[in-house]
Amino acid sequence: MRKIIIAGNWKMNKAFSEAEDFMVELTDFLNVKKLGKVEVVVCSPSPYLEMASDFASENRVFIGAQNVNENDFGAYTGEISASMLASMEIDYCIIGHSERRKYYHETDDLINSKLKKLQEFEVVPILCIGETLEEREKGITEQVILSQLTKTLTNIKINNDLVIAYEPVWAIGTGRTATPQQAQEIHFLIRKWISEKFSSEISNSISILYGGSMKPENIRELLHQPDIDGGLIGGASLDIEKFKAMINTAVEL
Ligand code: 13P
């Protein structure tokens, strides 16, 4: 059975004390909760990773970074390596987020290099892919998704050490969510591609998350889709009550 992952992506938000308070409340909540096949992940800003990972004992909550550099080490001011993440026992790392593609001009080739580095150091990549509004309106969504998958997963071996997040760019931070049917269509496409390229075993075990204005009001319908295995949640993950509500929904399914 594949995991249902409820992952918060805090992006560049929260002061240190707010982040710490959130982690205290979250772990208090999770410690008395039966999670079943649900895994909870918090992708915190880099300066808070160590603090956040102190809360990660007993696998109640897993910690993710939001970015990694493709090099091993060296003169790359401001960057973080996969080996650093591994040395802090960080479990996950987001790569290929549309904000990094847009603002920092990250290409599929670069994302492919980052993915390889993360795998080398056994940090599980959360690979984000998704089309822009313009691409959707042009009717080339499937082409864009398949091209992103092909390029970012070139020469990659996967077991189930990869999470994919489908994040339609037009749904991120806009309040406009993909309908469950729109999301399911693309999740199915991704799983089919993984099955053809790798194996049906791998495609059945890999978690494919939806991201884009996911919130307590719409999570249930999205998670009901057969190929949606959780969410990568931005805005709504900043609020502990909303995050708890979304975990509750995932656990109840
Ligand atoms: P929002 O949930 O704020 O739309 O952000 C989604 C996202 O980008 C998660 O990585």
Side-chain angles (χ1 to χ4, degrees), residues 192-203:
K192 186 160 156 273
W193 185 89
I194 297 278
S195 165
E196 287 162 6
K197 165 99 182 162
F198 298 95
S199 71
S200 57
E201 250 180 320
I202 290 176
S203 88

Side-chain angles (χ1 to χ4, degrees), residues 67-74 79-87 117-118 121 123:
N67 186 29
V68 68
N69 186 274
E70 68 281 15
N71 295 291
D72 281 322
F73 57 86
E79 292 295 286
I80 304 166
S81 69
S83 64
M84 291 176 185
L85 297 178
S87 70
K117 257 318 142 208
L118 289 173
F121 288 94
V123 178

Side-chain angles (χ1 to χ4, degrees), residues 197-215:
K197 165 99 182 162
F198 298 95
S199 71
S200 57
E201 250 180 320
I202 290 176
S203 88
N204 282 331
S205 64
I206 224 169
S207 298
I208 307 176
L209 316 185
Y210 168 80
S213 299
M214 199 180 229
K215 50 188 178 228

